[in-house]
Amino acid sequence: MGLSNLQGRSATIVLGIVGATAFALQGYDQSVMNGLLTLNDWVEIFPQIDTINTTGAQEAHNSTIQGTVVALYDVGCAIGALSCMVLGDLLGRRRTVFFSGIISLIGIVLQASAFSLGQLIVGRIVTGLGVGGFTATVPMWVSECVKADFRGRLVLLQGSFAIGGIVIAAWLEFGMFYVKNNSANWRFPVAFQSTFAIIVISFVLFLPESPRWLVKKDRLEEARGVLAQLDGLPLDSELVSIDLAAIRASLVDDHIGTSSSPFSLTKNRHLHRTILAVYANFVSQMTGVNIVTFYSTTILQTELHYSATVARIISGCLQIWQFVAATSAIFIIDRFGRRKLLIWAAIGMGISQTCLAGLSSDLTDKSAADAALFFYFTALFSVPVGLFLVPYMYAAEITPLRVRTKVTAMSAATNWLFNFLVAEVTPIGFATISWRYYIIYAAISAFSAVVFILFFPETKGRTLEEIDEIFLQSHSIFDPVKVEKNLPRQAVITTDTLKHAVEEKAMEERVEQ
């Protein structure tokens, strides 16, 4: 049986795995530079970003260039994500993912074959364009195809795969570290990520398109076919008709108000919901976790004074721990909910960054340096659980269909732009204010925990229609949290409630017979 013939839960799971593979590429490429920056064969080809064999003003100059080269990938990602504001609804979810994979593959080839800093930079940007398209589209595509009771787990599978990509990058680079005097020790790790892009490109067009996008484009028969496939039901099933009717009704509800702008003050609170989606993705980066993800090997060698081998082993262990945390999130997201994970992740990052600041203030004390490692591990537990994929998913869940593509694109772009900011200023931050650099992120994390408590309603187990109702009943920015707590489950007539009613009626008829 081919992929296009898969039915029911099998089709949903395969869709989730292919989407997660796209995020494996995102994680791998975001981390791959970490272990390359200190390789002798790397700095021989790119001496402009050598911070290991330089000192003083030259080191500061090279640190600035290094930060820019690493971070320009994020600029490409932001541009790729923003392009989905237009292309996402024009091409549909599957084709957007397909072309994003093609663009990523071109960028990977440019990076792996680079003999100049200019070519490396172009390759980083081009790869970023494709990965940005992935991050703006895949969580939305999966969310639109998966039922409420399975949505959280399948979207967070993408986070597990993304961290898995980081782990693969860390340990592959560790193995290639022992290949001396050969540029293969960095070219092969860079080229390896093409595996993920090829998998996505090969399979994505055989998977179901988003039924909500098809309804939005008035392609109702195709939408019916996709719904039947995802539910494992015949085309003429009454349940498929209920699905289709509910999606069409939600699209009508999306047109409450007079504007399709995500910034408009409509009755269903476009601007309010846009700000929540964008802020969640802002916090995802501005807790400062990518200090560890991007620069852990460099920091362990230059700041904490571990040997090159030990630094790489510790870095690899950090990524394995992060993978364990991201995988555990799959099993707790639908138990504890999005809101609680966001709050506790922000608190965890605030504590971690505060302790790292204190312990890093006197690195002449070897025990303080060793203790600082503990809080690297707490940071890399907090973010994968609550601030890595949850903001992407939350953005897709709380926005109405009419503006969902635009808002998820802006949210992903925000994530990448602040990712760029962290990557750009981190080398300079450590070079100029040293341990005080951690305090910035500790303050942002603490403030964000309060924001999540006051303004972010829970979406766990809620259908998209119920989430719309939460905001329709809200009259101020403080209302959604209270409304959500008071709104009964299945208070809105949706696909799930109608299905439940039909199933109960059928059961009663069987009993009577």
Side-chain angles (χ1 to χ4, degrees):
M1 179 184 288
L3 287 180
S4 58
N5 296 320
L6 289 174
Q7 298 286 319
R9 185 57 65 91
S10 296
T12 301
I13 291 173
V14 172
L15 185 152
I17 291 173
V18 172
T21 303
F23 266 82
L25 171 58
Q26 179 263 329
Y28 187 102
D29 199 71
Q30 190 171 356
S31 176
V32 71
M33 295 289 282
N34 182 27
L36 305 181
L37 298 174
T38 57
L39 291 175
N40 289 329
D41 293 288
W42 172 271
V43 298
E44 284 179 8
I45 296 178
F46 309 114
Q48 304 95 321
I49 53 177
D50 178 12
T51 60
I52 300 298
N53 304 308
T54 55
T55 57
Q58 186 63 50
E59 180 185 11
H61 176 71
N62 286 10
S63 291
T64 302
I65 298 175
Q66 182 188 96
T68 301
V69 171
V70 172
L72 279 173
Y73 164 76
D74 302 309
V75 174
C77 289
I79 295 171
L82 284 173
S83 70
C84 293
M85 291 181 69
V86 176
L87 296 178
D89 272 337
L90 182 66
L91 297 175
R93 314 316 188 214
R94 290 185 311 168
R95 285 189 292 174
T96 300
V97 173
F98 175 79
F99 286 116
S100 295
I102 294 291
I103 293 169
S104 296
L105 191 58
I106 293 170
I108 292 165
V109 171
L110 289 171
Q111 287 186 77
S113 61
F115 280 93
S116 68
L117 187 62
Q119 182 178 341
L120 178 68
I121 290 171
V122 172
R124 294 282 292 167
I125 294 172
V126 172
T127 305
L129 291 172
V131 172
F134 282 156
T135 58
T137 306
V138 171
M140 175 175 58
W141 178 37
V142 175
S143 294
E144 291 181 339
C145 290
V146 180
K147 301 302 179 187
D149 63 344
F150 197 44
R151 188 172 64 227
R153 283 169 285 174
L154 208 56
V155 173
L156 286 202
L157 181 66
Q158 297 160 27
S160 181
F161 271 55
I163 304 300
I166 294 174
V167 172
I168 292 171
W171 286 103
L172 182 59
E173 287 174 344
F174 177 70
M176 297 303 292
F177 173 70
Y178 293 97
V179 178
K180 304 296 184 181
N181 303 316
N182 191 325
S183 64
N185 65 359
W186 67 265
R187 293 188 190 277
F188 179 75
V190 171
F192 181 82
Q193 62 193 302
S194 62
T195 305
F196 305 119
I198 291 170
I199 291 172
V200 174
I201 293 166
S202 299
F203 294 112
V204 67
L205 294 181
F206 296 100
L207 296 171
E209 180 55 271
S210 163
R212 287 173 169 81
W213 178 78
L214 291 169
V215 170
K216 187 177 181 180
K217 293 297 181 180
D218 205 30
R219 293 161 59 175
L220 301 182
E221 288 308 309
E222 291 178 66
R224 178 182 290 275
V226 169
L227 290 169
Q229 181 181 1
L230 292 173
D231 286 340
L233 296 169
L235 280 172
D236 58 357
S237 168
E238 183 179 1
L239 295 180
V240 173
S241 297
I242 292 170
D243 264 331
L244 189 60
I247 294 173
R248 294 184 71 184
S250 71
L251 189 60
V252 171
D253 289 341
D254 285 343
H255 283 74
I256 294 174
T258 59
S259 174
S260 61
S261 168
F263 305 110
S264 60
L265 298 173
T266 57
K267 186 177 179 180
N268 56 353
R269 308 186 71 81
H270 282 188
L271 177 62
H272 182 183
R273 296 160 84 169
T274 298
I275 291 172
L276 293 181
V278 170
Y279 186 81
N281 281 273
F282 160 83
V283 177
S284 177
Q285 295 303 324
M286 290 307 291
T287 54
V289 68
N290 277 330
I291 295 174
V292 182
T293 303
F294 282 156
Y295 295 109
S296 59
T297 302
T298 303
I299 292 170
L300 290 167
Q301 282 187 238
T302 60
E303 299 291 332
L304 302 183
H305 308 297
Y306 288 98
S307 69
T309 300
V310 172
R312 282 168 171 78
I313 291 174
I314 294 173
S315 184
C317 290
L318 284 167
Q319 308 313 340
I320 290 176
W321 173 246
Q322 192 175 194
F323 174 73
V324 171
T327 303
S328 70
I330 298 172
F331 302 101
I332 64 176
I333 184 64
D334 286 323
R335 180 176 180 181
F336 295 104
R338 288 59 155 155
R339 172 182 157 84
K340 287 182 181 178
L341 294 188
L342 286 168
I343 293 168
W344 285 109
I347 292 172
M349 283 304 297
I351 293 171
S352 298
Q353 298 287 28
T354 300
C355 294
L356 282 170
L359 291 168
S360 300
S361 62
D362 182 16
L363 292 178
T364 58
D365 183 351
K366 185 64 167 61
S367 61
D370 291 338
L373 282 178
F374 173 78
F375 292 100
Y376 273 29
F377 280 91
T378 60
L380 289 184
F381 180 82
S382 299
V383 169
V385 168
L387 282 169
F388 185 39
L389 254 294
V390 173
Y392 286 112
M393 176 172 61
Y394 196 84
E397 287 180 331
I398 66 166
T399 51
L401 179 57
R402 192 180 187 190
V403 296
R404 187 172 296 139
T405 301
K406 295 176 182 177
V407 175
T408 55
M410 286 190 294
S411 299
T414 299
N415 198 305
W416 286 114
L417 286 172
F418 283 95
N419 199 334
F420 166 77
L421 178 65
V422 173
E424 176 71 13
V425 304
T426 290
I428 302 169
F430 279 118
T432 54
I433 61 175
S434 186
W435 58 270
R436 298 171 185 85
Y437 184 62
Y438 290 110
I439 296 175
I440 298 170
Y441 300 107
I444 293 173
S445 299
F447 174 77
S448 297
V450 176
V451 173
F452 290 144
I453 291 170
L454 293 177
F455 303 113
F456 279 64
E458 182 56 75
T459 60
K460 178 191 74 172
R462 295 286 191 183
T463 64
L464 300 181
E465 292 77 14
E466 284 180 305
I467 296 169
D468 282 337
E469 186 65 22
I470 290 169
F471 286 93
L472 285 167
Q473 291 187 22
S474 298
H475 303 291
S476 77
I477 60 174
F478 295 98
D479 286 349
V481 172
K482 179 175 62 176
V483 170
E484 190 281 326
K485 289 179 179 178
N486 294 328
L487 186 69
R489 298 285 168 177
Q490 299 184 342
V492 181
I493 297 178
T494 63
T495 304
D496 291 339
T497 56
L498 288 171
K499 280 186 177 181
H500 183 66
V502 170
E503 289 168 354
E504 282 191 342
K505 182 179 179 181
M507 185 176 295
E508 289 173 359
E509 290 176 350
R510 284 195 296 270
V511 170
E512 290 175 358
Q513 292 174 357

